[in-house]
Amino acid sequence: MAKLMPKRQLENVGLGITGLCVALVALVVVTLIVMVAQQGLTTFFVDGVNPVEFLTGQNWIPEQERYGALPMIVGSFAVTLLSTVFALPVAVGSAIFVVEVAPGFGRRVFQPFIELLVGIPSVVYGVLGLYVINSLMRAAFGDPAGTGAGILSGSIVLAVMILPTITTLSMDALRAVPNQYREGSYALGCTRWQTVWHVVLKSALPSLMTAVILGMTRAFGETLAVQMVIGGVERSMPSGLLDPASTLTAALTAGLSNATSGSVYYHALWSLGLILLVMSLVFILIIHLIGKKGAKANG
Amino acid sequence: MASQVHSLDDHVSRINRQDKVATGVLTVIVGLVMLLVVAIIAYILVRGGTRALTPGFLTNPSAAEEAPGIVYQLWDSFYMLIVTLVISVPISLGAAIFLVEYAPDNWVTSAAKTAIETLSSLPSIVVGMFGSLFFVVTLGWGISIIAGACALTMFNIPILVRTIQQALEDVPRSQRDAALAMGLTRWETTINVLLPAAMPAIVTGIVLSAGRVFGEAAALIFTSGSAPARLNFANPFNFVSPTCPFNIFRPACSLAVYIWRLTSEPTDGSVEIVWGTATVLLVCVLLFNLLARLLGKFLSRRLTAE
Amino acid sequence: MTDTTPAQAPAAADECLLATKDVTVTYDLTHEALHKTSLSFESGQVTALIGPSGCGKSTFLRCLNLMNREIPKCSVGGQILYHGHDINTPKENLFELRKSIGMVFQQPTPFRKSIRENILFAPKKHGRVRSRSEEDELVETSLRQAALWDEVKDKLKQSAHALSGGQQQRLCIARTLAMKPDVVLYDEPCSALDPISTFAIEETIRSIAESGICEIIVTHNMEQATRVSDRTAFFYVGDMVETGATQQIFSDPHDQRLVDYLTGRFG
């Protein structure tokens, strides 16, 4: 029989191996942040693009060396907010139904169903958007819709994509509300709807907000589905919901293959990436703040 | 007095009506959501089904003159998935074990947790962008399967770490305490007691994550490329050849990337190929979902029956 | 070394097998769960720790094999003397120590392995068994000591989870005994079991004590304490209030809190 390693040593080996894995992940993340920041800031510090003009400029025309990211920033926020507005009532509504009204049905039927939506790849959503939603837009709005590509169709596709995220997280949030709260409310003679509205939703509010923010994070970072549907116009500001537009992610996808590395255009694209990175850090921060506040409110 | 009673009655019937209306509205919403899911899946399957089942579609290369197919993309998707899992599963296991078992309660741990959380919320295009510079240029791997697999790994790790962590934490504490109380190390406890007990959940998590990796494209466009590969299956062991299917340093085009490429550069008849490919992709992902559920059930039944 | 021979010989008069001096346990830096507790335990004796829930008896028990180290933000002060040597130091080798101070928990905790593998798991990991015949012998003696051999000898290869709750708990005792400890700690071992299984476990505990092993049992069941223990210690809100021979504690308690507890005023 092989001699066994002394236990303390074995414990240190375990600690070492697993610690190494974590360190590797952390290192990659740090490298990513440093690299994106370095490349993205080159635009401003080396290529001499004014950062204020970059963020507020309304035209993105690389051939003319005009780098105004506002159209994409507006596009990203517009699709994110719109899709959240579309998805939120449906998501929270279905979460309430499957947790408060029909829990058995929720677990056995609804949850697997909604998880199917998570599984559908984003290019497939893109294909649906490109060939189906855009034609519907044309059919609904006629000429003003142009090809059908635009912020509205992008938002609709995104709404479907973030629906499962918000729904499942809302379901978890509602399930986490202690049953005593409900029983207390029913004991006072409240109806189910009153209980849900005044008691359950109120105490689940921080978690519901986290669910929404996570949904928005997904919408903001979603790439191909939006890029295929939104029309890809970065040159100028969109003037309406039916106008073709672009988002940060879409502009990156479309631009990166054409840009020669080291050029101003290339660096400007990395600056867009930097904005995306900063935004996802902001989203994380918001989630943490909500969590802290919720913890404080619940003692 | 009488009017008070009357208004109370009014109130009761009003809140009861409110309750009924609310329940009705919620039922309709849930019904619509389920209808939407069915409609989406059914539409794709019907729209692309005929193409997907056309003879040759699954077995011909996309450059074929007659009946172009997607066999290389299928191969590349699965091969890249396997390479990704080979890299990401051990790292995620290690990281999850560290976080559950060893993590000291200090800033190092919270920094590591924040790093993983950051990774999970990063847009996949940013990961792809980073990969196109770091894996492709800095590490000198070029546009390749390994660069793509590393980008996918970054995308996959946060998901896997979270599911494995959850699975380990769901093993009753008493199991862990019992092993530690016999003078065993956390390492032995984890490997011999916790992991076997958590295995069904871990396997389910891995297969589910595989489904997501399989459909991911944005992280791949600039790391493993979007040009359809030309493979030579007749000579599979010449590992340096760009046509060798197993060569991890050759460019590759997955199903998802292929769809994206065809929609951004449409050619004659590409719409039909797009729908066919989307159907194949969707079916694969649904199969992964199904497999995850079945495997999870099978493993946990075997565990409890033993 | 202690890991090869159980201390079968009675402890020397001036030196107990296991003793605590002013042990204090603090959770989260501020919450004191146990205050300056001093007790001593000898080979071949069963000591019961009783008291209302939250009194610190389980906390105290977990100190004895340093299981408190597994709880974050838990600090233990004072001395814990094992064979006259203080084990409450950062340098103490937990793994060596826990080989000779075993522990049985409230819920039966068989691993997802066969009965045989449950017994052999720890000895194998500690390099104690070298051959198939040694393994067989260890399995048989441990199971016999825990009075389980006759019930399971034909199904050693089956999953331990197929056993009844009481059998599982006796398997856990057998598994602990397979490490040849000289102290066994029980944390309410019968609270999840039915009366018949409880009786079997109590019998087992008595017979193990007769083989010279020191046993310490936490229980909330006073009848159980009178049935199995030689000595009893009463804990109340983080203090060890009174200790003595079990007979004396139950028939002639001195402290008013103990009197109240025994007469059912609280707890």
Side-chain angles (χ1 to χ4, degrees):
Chain A
M1 185 183 227
K3 196 171 179 321
L4 293 170
M5 198 184 280
K7 293 287 175 225
R8 277 183 177 175
Q9 201 180 333
L10 183 63
E11 195 69 317
N12 287 334
V13 168
L15 181 67
I17 294 175
T18 58
L20 210 65
C21 294
V22 171
L24 183 70
V25 176
L27 195 71
V28 169
V29 174
V30 171
T31 317
L32 180 142
I33 293 175
V34 169
M35 225 161 191
V36 174
Q38 188 197 9
Q39 294 284 330
L41 292 175
T42 310
T43 323
F44 311 123
F45 291 113
V46 180
D47 302 334
V49 175
N50 184 330
V52 178
E53 277 172 21
F54 185 84
L55 290 175
T56 56
Q58 304 196 352
N59 298 91
W60 179 269
I61 310 172
E63 308 89 78
Q64 299 173 16
E65 304 250 307
R66 290 174 72 182
Y67 301 104
L70 198 60
M72 282 91 86
I73 297 175
V74 168
S76 280
F77 277 100
V79 291
T80 304
L81 290 176
L82 259 185
S83 60
T84 311
V85 169
F86 292 152
L88 186 61
V90 180
V92 175
S94 5
I96 293 174
F97 182 84
V98 297
V99 175
E100 303 294 330
V101 182
F105 162 82
R107 272 181 211 282
R108 276 194 305 275
V109 185
F110 189 74
Q111 195 137 8
F113 248 83
I114 202 90
E115 276 166 12
L116 284 182
L117 277 189
V118 190
I120 300 179
S122 80
V123 276
V124 175
Y125 280 112
V127 169
L128 273 175
L130 183 61
Y131 297 131
V132 180
I133 304 283
N134 285 2
S135 331
L136 288 178
M137 286 287 138
R138 271 201 307 278
F141 297 103
D143 280 343
T147 60
I151 292 180
L152 188 59
S153 13
S155 307
I156 292 173
V157 172
L158 275 181
V160 179
M161 295 182 72
I162 64 173
L163 184 66
T165 312
I166 305 186
T167 309
T168 41
L169 290 170
S170 304
M171 279 154 72
D172 293 344
L174 297 181
R175 280 184 190 137
V177 174
N179 239 340
Q180 292 98 298
Y181 289 19
R182 297 186 182 93
E183 281 157 11
S185 172
Y186 287 137
L188 291 173
C190 292
T191 61
R192 179 158 64 203
W193 176 244
Q194 285 175 316
T195 305
V196 167
W197 190 248
H198 296 290
V199 180
V200 177
L201 283 184
K202 209 169 215 173
S203 77
L205 195 61
S207 326
L208 287 177
M209 278 162 71
T210 311
V212 173
I213 301 288
L214 280 171
M216 289 173 80
T217 314
R218 187 164 180 215
F220 200 83
E222 179 48 51
T223 310
L224 293 186
V226 184
Q227 194 249 345
M228 287 158 77
V229 174
I230 200 162
V233 173
E234 295 106 21
R235 301 176 68 87
S236 57
M237 296 290 286
S239 56
L241 293 185
L242 295 173
D243 266 17
S246 191
T247 63
L248 294 165
T249 50
L252 267 181
T253 317
L256 208 58
S257 47
N258 303 327
T260 23
S261 74
S263 66
V264 184
Y265 180 37
Y266 183 75
H267 291 145
L269 287 172
W270 279 87
S271 305
L272 298 184
L274 183 60
I275 298 177
L276 280 171
L277 177 70
V278 169
M279 273 314 294
S280 50
L281 293 179
V282 169
F283 281 128
I284 291 182
L285 195 70
I286 295 176
I287 290 169
H288 276 234
L289 288 180
I290 295 174
K292 246 182 215 153
K293 221 171 191 178
K296 211 180 267 171
N298 294 332
Chain B
M1 194 65 197
S3 76
Q4 264 183 9
V5 171
H6 188 240
S7 76
L8 187 65
D9 275 353
D10 267 1
H11 177 71
V12 168
S13 71
R14 194 167 53 94
I15 60 170
N16 278 334
R17 208 164 48 235
Q18 204 181 36
D19 189 49
K20 286 216 177 75
V21 170
T23 311
V25 170
L26 293 179
T27 316
V28 170
I29 290 179
V30 168
L32 286 179
V33 169
M34 295 187 57
L35 196 67
L36 178 74
V37 178
V38 175
I40 288 178
I41 292 174
Y43 186 85
I44 297 169
L45 294 184
V46 169
R47 184 70 179 74
T50 15
R51 184 62 184 219
L53 294 175
T54 309
F57 191 67
L58 293 177
T59 50
N60 284 357
S62 46
E65 291 285 317
E66 241 173 83
I70 52 168
V71 63
Y72 294 162
Q73 285 82 353
L74 255 180
W75 166 266
D76 281 348
S77 288
F78 277 103
Y79 188 50
M80 199 134 47
L81 171 65
I82 288 167
V83 177
T84 304
L85 290 182
V86 166
I87 303 171
S88 58
V89 168
I91 296 178
S92 308
L93 260 180
I97 293 174
F98 180 87
L99 291 178
V100 175
E101 287 300 316
Y102 290 102
D105 194 9
N106 61 19
W107 69 271
V108 179
T109 307
S110 62
K113 279 185 186 161
T114 314
I116 292 173
E117 202 185 344
T118 309
L119 203 51
S120 78
S121 73
L122 279 182
S124 52
I125 184 70
V126 174
V127 172
M129 206 175 168
F130 165 73
S132 77
L133 191 57
F134 187 67
F135 300 125
V136 174
V137 179
T138 312
L139 296 183
W141 291 341
I143 300 272
S144 59
I145 288 185
I146 183 74
C150 285
L152 288 178
T153 294
M154 290 177 67
F155 169 82
N156 202 18
I157 277 181
I159 305 172
L160 275 182
V161 168
R162 200 170 314 146
T163 40
I164 298 174
Q165 214 179 333
Q166 189 65 49
L168 288 175
E169 276 164 5
D170 284 348
V171 178
R173 248 196 97 77
S174 55
Q175 289 270 317
R176 183 170 159 271
D177 282 354
L180 291 177
M182 293 195 294
L184 299 177
T185 57
R186 283 158 196 268
W187 182 246
E188 290 164 317
T189 305
T190 308
I191 301 294
N192 297 289
V193 177
L194 301 185
L195 276 186
M199 203 42 86
I202 293 179
V203 170
T204 308
I206 291 175
V207 179
L208 274 180
S209 84
R212 299 195 52 185
V213 166
F214 196 80
E216 173 58 35
L220 289 180
I221 296 171
F222 306 113
T223 49
S224 64
S226 59
R230 288 170 189 283
L231 302 181
N232 179 5
F233 285 92
N235 182 15
F237 301 112
N238 180 9
F239 290 118
V240 289
S241 152
T243 59
C244 165
F246 292 104
N247 181 355
I248 56 170
F249 289 102
R250 68 172 170 84
C253 176
S254 72
L255 289 174
V257 174
Y258 186 56
I259 293 176
W260 173 78
R261 190 185 165 91
L262 285 182
T263 56
S264 53
E265 294 163 18
T267 53
D268 264 356
S270 66
V271 174
E272 289 309 308
I273 301 179
V274 165
W275 281 110
T277 314
T279 304
V280 174
L281 184 58
L282 183 67
V283 168
C284 289
V285 169
L286 293 183
L287 284 180
F288 275 117
N289 267 314
L290 192 68
L291 183 69
R293 274 169 217 289
L294 292 181
L295 262 181
K297 269 202 190 121
F298 169 75
L299 283 176
S300 60
R301 197 174 309 148
R302 228 189 61 177
L303 258 185
T304 42
E306 240 173 25
Chain C
M1 276 305 286
T2 50
D3 62 354
T4 49
T5 51
Q8 300 269 336
D14 60 332
E15 187 189 88
C16 295
L17 173 61
L18 183 62
T20 62
K21 270 189 192 159
D22 295 339
V23 165
T24 300
V25 181
T26 323
Y27 290 118
D28 291 336
L29 307 174
T30 51
H31 171 65
E32 195 177 89
L34 191 67
H35 180 69
K36 294 207 167 186
T37 301
S38 302
L39 273 173
S40 55
F41 309 95
E42 283 165 33
S43 298
Q45 268 191 350
V46 180
T47 308
L49 311 179
I50 62 168
S53 41
C55 66
K57 54 192 196 298
S58 284
T59 300
F60 176 73
L61 190 78
R62 284 170 163 263
C63 288
L64 298 177
N65 66 346
L66 302 184
M67 278 303 277
N68 283 29
R69 296 265 171 94
E70 310 302 334
I71 302 169
K73 291 187 190 162
C74 168
S75 65
V76 181
Q79 284 185 314
I80 303 168
L81 299 168
Y82 177 57
H83 289 288
H85 150 81
D86 187 9
I87 56 172
N88 188 22
T89 62
K91 277 191 190 157
E92 179 61 32
N93 188 333
L94 301 173
F95 311 114
E96 287 300 316
L97 177 78
R98 288 178 188 159
K99 286 201 271 188
S100 34
I101 304 184
M103 189 160 190
V104 175
F105 294 84
Q106 189 167 1
Q107 294 288 336
T109 53
F111 301 133
R112 295 193 180 278
K113 299 169 185 295
S114 69
I115 295 172
R116 185 187 155 85
E117 283 304 314
N118 258 282
I119 304 269
L120 290 175
F121 176 50
K124 271 184 183 167
K125 292 289 165 196
H126 286 294
R128 289 272 184 82
V129 279
R130 287 170 207 294
S131 64
R132 178 82 194 184
S133 62
E134 264 182 48
E135 288 180 5
D136 292 340
E137 194 192 321
L138 185 63
V139 170
E140 184 172 344
T141 45
S142 313
L143 285 171
R144 275 192 196 283
Q145 271 182 293
L148 193 59
W149 174 252
D150 292 328
E151 290 162 58
V152 301
K153 63 183 172 195
D154 300 322
K155 44 182 181 183
L156 294 175
K157 290 257 161 68
Q158 287 180 20
S159 166
H161 277 249
L163 297 174
S164 74
Q167 287 174 324
Q168 289 186 4
Q169 192 64 302
R170 273 180 286 152
L171 175 65
C172 291
I173 296 177
R175 193 170 71 179
T176 309
L177 293 174
M179 297 296 297
K180 310 236 188 294
D182 47 15
V183 180
V184 179
L185 313 172
Y186 300 88
D187 191 358
E188 305 202 15
C190 304
S191 65
L193 303 179
D194 61 273
I196 295 170
S197 306
T198 302
F199 178 72
I201 301 270
E202 287 173 5
E203 289 274 281
T204 311
I205 292 176
R206 284 306 322 168
S207 73
I208 292 169
E210 275 152 29
S211 72
I213 291 175
C214 167
E215 288 175 292
I216 305 165
I217 173 170
V218 164
T219 176
H220 59 258
N221 177 337
M222 287 182 274
E223 285 73 29
Q224 184 168 64
T226 58
R227 285 192 300 263
V228 300
S229 70
D230 304 304
R231 297 180 64 80
T232 298
F234 171 65
F235 285 71
Y236 183 73
V237 205
D239 279 306
M240 202 282 294
V241 174
E242 189 169 340
T243 179
T246 301
Q247 179 106 45
Q248 176 255 312
I249 290 282
F250 284 94
S251 59
D252 181 23
H254 299 309
D255 193 279
Q256 189 56 41
R257 288 167 290 183
L258 174 56
V259 175
D260 287 348
Y261 180 65
L262 292 177
T263 50
R265 298 258 170 88
F266 59 79

